[in-house]
Amino acid sequence: MSSNTTPLTQNADSSEDIPNIDIGHAYDQHYVDADIHYERLEKLADFFGRNMPVHHHDRFYQIHVILGGTVRVHLDETSYTTEGPMFFLTPPTVPHAFVTDNNAKGHVITARQQLVWELMGGMVPTGWGSDSFMNNPLCVALSPDKDVHAARMLNLLNLMAGESDQTSMEHSVALKALLQLVLIDIYRLSDQSQPQQKTRKEDVRIFHRFNELIESHYKEHLTLSQYAEMISVTEARLNEICRRLAGLPSKRLIMDRLMQEARRLLTFSSAPITEIGYQLGFKDPAYFARFFRRNAGKTAGEYRDSKK
């Protein structure tokens, strides 16, 4: 099967500043102790946003399947731009970031490392050595009309979606069985992952450093010139790098991080909306109200009510 996935450039080395996101605690507290968490991409995007800054998942594998639109993915030391349908796999602790189109749909599976090892332990000929496909991130374009494994994988994910809202023992067993079949298809498709190209490493180092600084300072509402000065680049170069690697202007990355935290606090915190605005560094409640409505298409109160 031919693939239209094209590597862009090499990313910087991972950093201890890169945040670890525990999907059970951060998004769905019903799944704090679950071995498998399934969610539709569009629901996660409503919570985290379409631009997901650099992060990792300690002790969890994650599989993203995007069914359409342009996808920009940064996996450890390599970046890709591809069209859906596609999937990317991130093993535990591998830093990654991605941006999807506003209307993109898909599937996201988060699975505990130990479970994945148990499900795949007897199937991978090379075992769990450094050359094992499950130890390295993957980005693979899918052609379900040409490849039976790609078609079956997408069908299996639809079945997982049907099982995911149930909590009984038989549904848990079914999810594990379906995940095992999905992993088998990923293994069969893994040789179609694109070769890594190591170009413009410095630009990606700047991009990652900008993401790290946003994570540390987004509540301080620093200006773009302040961020650029901390990285020792011009605003123009920083903006050009962000547009090329993330498809978004640099200011958008900062606003998206604020919106991600605002959505999290509105969902899980009982604090008044005015107080949430203060927590996020907004000194004027009216400004926070306008900021949220402009970026979410609804008021903060409407968003909170929709999550009850």
Side-chain angles (χ1 to χ4, degrees), residues 151-202:
R152 191 180 78 150
M153 178 180 171
L154 295 178
N155 288 332
L156 289 168
L157 288 162
N158 287 329
L159 292 175
M160 289 191 77
E163 296 284 352
S164 63
D165 293 332
Q166 309 297 325
T167 58
S168 63
M169 179 59 70
E170 60 266 29
H171 289 292
S172 177
V173 173
L175 272 179
K176 290 182 180 180
L178 289 167
L179 175 59
Q180 186 174 45
L181 293 172
V182 168
L183 291 170
I184 292 170
D185 281 329
I186 287 176
Y187 174 55
R188 289 167 168 166
L189 293 163
S190 63
D191 62 350
Q192 296 167 23
S193 184
Q194 298 303 287
Q196 297 184 3
Q197 294 181 353
K198 300 179 179 180
T199 57
R200 305 197 65 155
K201 182 175 181 179
E202 177 63 11

Side-chain angles (χ1 to χ4, degrees), residues 52-68:
M52 196 64 197
V54 180
H55 65 285
H56 72 274
H57 305 285
D58 189 23
R59 297 186 298 278
F60 286 90
Y61 284 88
Q62 200 165 60
I63 304 163
H64 285 78
V65 180
I66 292 90
L67 300 178

Side-chain angles (χ1 to χ4, degrees), residues 221 255 281-294:
H221 296 228
M255 289 190 293
F282 291 89
K283 298 178 181 179
D284 181 359
Y287 179 44
F288 173 63
R290 292 194 299 272
F291 171 83
F292 190 91
R293 184 172 60 249
R294 182 172 65 249

